[in-house]
Structure formats: C-alpha cells, structure tokens
Amino acid sequence: MDRLFVDTPGGSYPIVINKGFQNIAEEVKKAISKVSSAIVISDSNVAPLYADKLVAEIETVFEKVSVFTFEAGEKSKHLGTINEIYSFMLDKKADRSTVVFGLGGGVCGDMAGFAAATFMRGVDFIQVPTTLLSQVDSSVGGKVGVDFNGVKNIVGAFYQPKLVYINTDTLDTLPEREFNAGMAEVIKYGPIFSPDVYSFVQKNKENIKKSELWTIEKIIKDCCAVKAQVVNEDEKESGLREILNFGHTIGHAVETLKEFSLLHGECVAIGMAAAMKISTDKGYVTKEKVKTLEDILEYFDLPVRVSGLAEDDIYKTLFLDKKARNNKIGFVLIEKIGTPLRTKELTEEEIRNGIRYIIEE
Ligand SMILES: NC(=O)c1ccc[n+]([C@@H]2O[C@H](COP(=O)([O-])OP(=O)(O)OC[C@H]3O[C@@H](n4cnc5c(N)ncnc54)[C@H](O)[C@@H]3O)[C@@H](O)[C@H]2O)c1
Ligand SMILES: [Zn+2]
C-alpha cells in the first residue's frame, strides 16, 4: 500500500493506493469524523463490477449505503444527471453528514464531486477512481463539474475530496482503449514536469502495455505525486496548475467537435501533438522531440492526427473554452522536456499552423 498527501487551502487529504478495497473502511473512518449514510455514485459499466464489493466494505461504517447508477459515458456528464442525483439523495434522506462516493472514471468522479459540492452547500466526498485516467489525474485536485451546451466542464467548482482511494485491481477490467486513453495523461506529465516519468514510460513501455503491476503502481504513484505537488502550489489554477492543460486547448475543441466519438485522452494526445508542433515553430524544441512524443503516443494506439474536421471549426471552437479570456487563448507549450511555458500571446497564424498540423487530409 502506498500513501501520498494533498495539501491545499481547500483541504488536505490522503491518496491511498492499494490492491483491493480491504482497508477502505478504516481509511474512511480516519478521513471523516461524522458519518451517517453513504451515497455511492457509479456508472452502468462500473456498478455491476464493483459496487457490491465497495458497499460490502463500507457498510461497516455507515448505517445505510445506497447506490445511484447513471448511463456510462461523457454523454451523461450534464446537469440532467446531476438533477437525478439530487432527487435520489433527497429520496434517500441524505443529510449534512451523508458522504458521497464517486466510484468510476473521470466522468463519474467529476459529477459525484459536483453533486457533493452543491447538495446542502457541500457534503463530504470520497473519490474511488477506476480508470487509469482518473487514477493518475482527475480524482486528485478537486476540479468537479459537468459539460453544458456541448462545452466541456463549463459548469463546476473546486471541491476537494476527503480521501482518494485507488484500488489498482479495478484496472483488470478496464477496456484497452480506455487504458490507452489514460496513458495520454500519464505521458502528459513528462513534457510539462517530469523527465523521469517520461523516460520511465519510454523504457518500460512493453511492461506497461502488458499491465505489469509494478509498472502500473509506479506510474500511478509518480503521477499522483506530480499532480499533488502542482495542486498544492496552485489549487485554483491561477498559475502553475495551468501546465496540466498541455494538449487540452486544441484537445477540448476536437473533443467537442467530434461529439465525444473520441475519448478525452485520445483528444489530449492530438492536442499535445499540436502544442508540441507549435513549440518547434517557436524554436523551443527540436522536431525530434515532436517525433519522440508522437511515437510513444502511437505505441499506446493513441491518435496524433484527426480526420473529418475543418481548420476553421477547430479554431473557432477554441474561443468557447472557459479558459479563453478577452479573446485570448491560453496555450501550454514546451520549452524543453520537463519545462513548460504558458502563453496567451500566440498569433492566429501560429495557432492555425498547429491546427493544420494535426488535420489529416
Ligand atoms: N477533474 C479533473 O481534474 C479532470 C482531469 C482529467 C479529466 N477529467 C474528466 O474525466 C473524464 C474522462 O474520464 P475517464 O477517461 O475516466 O472516462 P469515463 O469515466 O467515461 O470512463 C471511461 C469508460 O470506462 C468505463 N470504466 C471505468 N472504470 C472501469 C473499470 N474498472 N472496468 C471496466 N470499465 C470501466 C466507464 O464505464 C466508461 O465507459 C472527462 O470528462 C474529463 O473531462 C477531469
Ligand atoms: Zn485531461
């Protein structure tokens, strides 16, 4: 078992990494002083696999545990599902000492967290991430929310969980495409922060692909440590935390335009290729560095180009993003591996060159 800590003004909490759910009840008791009932929020793929196992463990702590299930997928990440969660919570007589669990991937965690942040102005919340992406990224740091009118994560809050409990066994059932999408966010930590994570992934790519446990455990631990460090320094994304958006500017536009037929991690892979290309155009990194990044993404079957989209549509969609302020688009470029550069000063032409680069004829 591994244990890390997140320490932000909005809350301090442990990240526990374990094989199995066996000590989650103890961890819950340590993390939360007053507990009555629990609401487990999960999706239609994860609930049949893991809800019973989780409930069996936490039943020893709570008087009552109820499970709410929504249809799996990004398409469910909207206020309609949040409404259903509120109704369910009222039905189950949830009160101020009810604890909300998010059992699932990033879609589930973001929504469960948003419901917890807003129900009765905030009830305690525990993340139980079950995808690689959510275990290395979304469950840590307290960003919660939903999509609205097709714009990604435009409604939300900063709301830290009381505990992040990562059961690595859950990855056994994760479809390969989803695992690979998670690898996009793992690889992201290399260029923006950690040459160590980057070279570990390059050197051990075969073992990672075979899901050898020691490599997966190491990746999760190292990525959570990076994420925790970044979030500790800048909880509310007024500076440093922006580096985590590497690949997400163009990535989010592609994700929106593809109407979620591509996975979030796949769009981030495409977006990273674009941002890296802009970084070479600006003279920061060599073309070889772009190739190295694309090679490792492609090794994990991630796309680095997109077809069926027009340059203009991608460009215009950039301005819908919540991070576009005063018509300025924030980009994270790479100065050298491990050293990011945040800028809002790219010209239209520089951005369009990056977009053209990732469009497949
Ligand atoms: N809050 C943040 O800081 C943050 C960071 C990155 C991404 N995100 C958000 O996370 C979301 C993407 O997360 P995701 O990739 O985990 O998607 P997801 O939650 O949709 O999960 C992916 C798929 O895998 C299934 N699944 C989950 N765990 C499983 C398991 N153990 N076994 C079998 N199937 C399983 C799910 O049912 C779903 O079909 C996006 O909405 C993105 O915006 C948030
Ligand atoms: Zn992401």
Side-chain angles (χ1 to χ4, degrees):
M1 193 183 90
D2 280 303
R3 180 184 278 275
L4 302 161
F5 281 93
V6 183
D7 188 12
T8 69
S12 303
Y13 52 95
I15 304 169
V16 175
I17 307 167
N18 207 354
K19 252 185 84 51
F21 284 127
Q22 58 274 16
N23 66 337
I24 192 166
E26 259 167 70
E27 294 292 340
V28 171
K29 276 193 271 182
K30 271 194 258 173
I32 296 171
S33 49
K34 196 164 164 258
V35 293
S36 60
S37 60
I39 303 282
V40 175
I41 296 170
S42 191
D43 75 24
S44 52
N45 294 330
V46 179
L49 294 167
Y50 300 110
D52 284 354
K53 291 192 178 101
L54 175 65
V55 171
E57 296 294 333
I58 60 174
E59 254 172 359
T60 57
V61 183
F62 297 95
E63 286 156 25
K64 197 169 82 180
V65 181
S66 315
V67 180
F68 174 89
T69 306
F70 65 88
E71 198 189 325
E74 184 77 31
K75 280 201 183 106
S76 293
K77 196 176 163 185
H78 56 72
L79 289 172
T81 312
I82 299 292
N83 273 350
E84 288 174 27
I85 296 172
Y86 293 149
S87 300
F88 183 83
M89 290 178 76
L90 278 179
D91 244 27
K92 298 294 171 190
K93 310 213 163 11
D95 60 26
R96 282 246 158 102
S97 48
T98 295
V99 179
V100 171
F101 286 73
L103 170 69
V107 168
C108 179
D110 282 12
M111 280 204 292
F114 186 69
T118 45
F119 189 82
M120 289 187 164
R121 296 199 183 83
V123 296
D124 286 340
F125 168 49
I126 291 178
Q127 287 273 23
V128 188
T130 63
T131 61
L132 181 63
L133 184 143
S134 55
Q135 294 181 353
V136 299
D137 190 351
S138 65
S139 65
V140 176
K143 272 197 193 179
V144 298
V146 293
D147 306 331
F148 186 78
N149 279 1
V151 186
K152 283 276 302 172
N153 301 331
I154 191 82
V155 174
F158 285 100
Y159 194 67
Q160 301 295 341
K162 293 285 179 205
L163 165 70
V164 178
Y165 191 96
I166 299 174
N167 171 359
T168 53
D169 277 352
T170 58
L171 296 179
D172 292 348
T173 54
L174 189 68
E176 198 182 340
R177 186 176 169 199
E178 297 291 349
F179 178 86
N180 289 335
M183 280 308 295
E185 303 273 15
V186 170
I187 291 164
K188 176 187 83 177
Y189 286 113
I192 60 165
F193 198 90
S194 175
D196 288 351
V197 167
Y198 207 45
S199 62
F200 181 84
V201 172
Q202 320 263 358
K203 280 194 196 120
N204 295 284
K205 57 182 198 261
E206 280 107 8
N207 293 329
I208 296 169
K209 207 167 204 174
K210 282 188 260 163
S211 288
E212 276 198 25
L213 185 64
W214 74 274
T215 58
I216 304 299
E217 280 176 349
K218 172 148 176 66
I219 286 176
I220 294 173
K221 196 175 152 194
D222 289 356
C223 292
C224 283
V226 173
K227 178 102 190 226
Q229 198 181 331
V230 170
V231 168
N232 289 354
E233 277 185 43
D234 176 24
E235 181 190 15
K236 298 214 165 149
E237 201 169 306
S238 46
L240 180 71
R241 190 170 178 170
E242 285 173 0
I243 66 172
L244 298 169
N245 297 324
F246 175 51
H248 284 62
T249 312
I250 289 178
H252 273 165
V254 169
E255 196 174 355
T256 302
L257 290 167
K258 281 284 174 184
E259 292 175 332
F260 306 122
S261 60
L262 287 177
L263 302 178
H264 174 76
E266 293 170 344
C267 298
V268 170
I270 295 166
M272 286 193 288
M276 202 68 167
K277 157 75 173 146
I278 299 173
S279 305
T280 52
D281 290 348
K282 298 285 282 180
Y284 302 136
V285 287
T286 58
K287 283 196 177 121
E288 288 70 54
K289 292 280 190 304
V290 189
K291 168 114 176 49
T292 312
L293 176 67
E294 291 183 2
D295 283 351
I296 191 71
L297 291 169
E298 287 184 315
Y299 182 82
F300 288 100
D301 294 324
L302 289 160
V304 292
R305 301 285 184 276
V306 64
S307 58
L309 293 184
E311 177 194 324
D312 248 11
D313 290 338
I314 298 181
Y315 185 74
K316 283 185 192 132
T317 306
L318 295 178
F319 292 89
L320 298 176
D321 200 280
K322 63 180 175 300
K323 285 170 197 104
R325 283 182 212 116
N326 308 327
N327 266 357
K328 295 250 182 215
I329 310 291
F331 265 86
V332 179
L333 303 181
I334 303 302
E335 213 174 289
K336 60 177 199 215
I337 296 303
T339 308
L341 186 118
R342 290 175 273 132
T343 178
K344 292 196 169 70
E345 304 305 327
L346 292 183
T347 63
E348 176 169 348
E349 203 40 35
E350 286 168 332
I351 298 173
R352 283 185 181 272
N353 277 338
I355 296 173
R356 275 196 290 275
Y357 180 71
I358 49 106
I359 291 180
E360 206 165 48
E361 296 307 320

